Amino acid sequence: DYSFVDKSMMRRMIDAGVMVEYVEFGGEIYGIAEGQLRMAMDSGCAVVVATPEGVTQVQKWSRANRVPVLSVYIGGEIGELILRVVERDSGVNRETLVRRIEGLVSREIHWGPNFTHLWHAMFNGFGPDTQDGVLHAVIRSVEGRLNRKLSAR
């Protein structure tokens, strides 16, 4: 679930150290507070969607708190990513939308290949025609890693 707070509240949360990860992108600040993450973990499994910077922050938090983390990169087709931004941000002004798309094209499409050291597994080509196959491959990969970790104990 998403919780929305204004920028000044988000900055206070960052300064107070309650954010596990956060990033400024497209003029906004996104992130997850430790309390939200722990509540999700208490229900069994937490999924955090993050930038490479965010993944680094989550991994640092996980080491400090001895919480296992598995990071998976799922790369999308550029046309599908742009369409997702346009549909999601349809209520914002044109200038903001252009800035977000520029950020996507200049940064996000390079996250997979440029940050391979962060990912336990990588999957590319995510789009409407391939999403089921990619998600099943992600699930199989995660299950395999979890089974290997459990059998090693």
Side-chain angles (χ1 to χ4, degrees):
D1 291 337
Y2 288 101
S3 300
F4 296 94
V5 297
D6 62 33
K7 284 185 184 178
S8 63
M9 172 59 95
M10 187 67 140
R11 294 217 186 276
R12 286 194 300 275
M13 293 169 70
I14 292 167
D15 291 343
V18 300
M19 301 302 293
V20 171
E21 73 86 24
Y22 65 91
V23 65
E24 292 193 43
F25 185 78
E28 301 295 333
I29 305 173
Y30 303 90
I32 185 166
E34 182 172 4
Q36 289 175 303
L37 182 57
R38 290 202 181 271
M39 281 183 2
M41 290 167 45
D42 289 345
S43 69
C45 180
V47 175
V48 176
V49 178
T51 65
E53 296 91 344
V55 171
T56 301
Q57 293 169 18
V58 170
Q59 289 174 343
K60 180 179 176 184
W61 176 87
S62 73
R63 285 189 299 274
N65 291 276
R66 298 180 182 224
V67 174
V69 167
L70 176 69
S71 61
V72 177
Y73 174 79
I74 303 175
E77 300 163 351
I78 187 63
E80 193 60 34
L81 294 172
I82 291 172
L83 183 61
R84 181 187 70 188
V85 169
V86 169
E87 289 174 350
R88 182 190 65 210
D89 297 344
S90 61
V92 301
N93 66 46
R94 180 182 173 88
E95 181 181 313
T96 300
L97 185 60
V98 167
R99 190 174 61 244
R100 288 180 182 170
I101 291 173
E102 287 173 343
L104 167 78
V105 172
S106 67
R107 292 179 39 183
E108 191 170 332
I109 62 171
H110 304 291
W111 287 346
N114 290 345
F115 295 94
T116 55
H117 61 284
L118 294 178
W119 316 119
H120 293 104
M122 290 181 62
F123 303 90
N124 287 296
F126 188 77
D129 298 333
T130 60
Q131 62 189 8
D132 289 345
V134 171
L135 291 176
H136 286 293
V138 169
I139 291 167
R140 283 192 304 276
S141 175
V142 169
E143 287 174 339
R145 291 187 70 84
L146 289 174
N147 288 336
R148 285 191 296 279
K149 281 189 173 196
L150 290 175
S151 63
R153 289 183 178 181

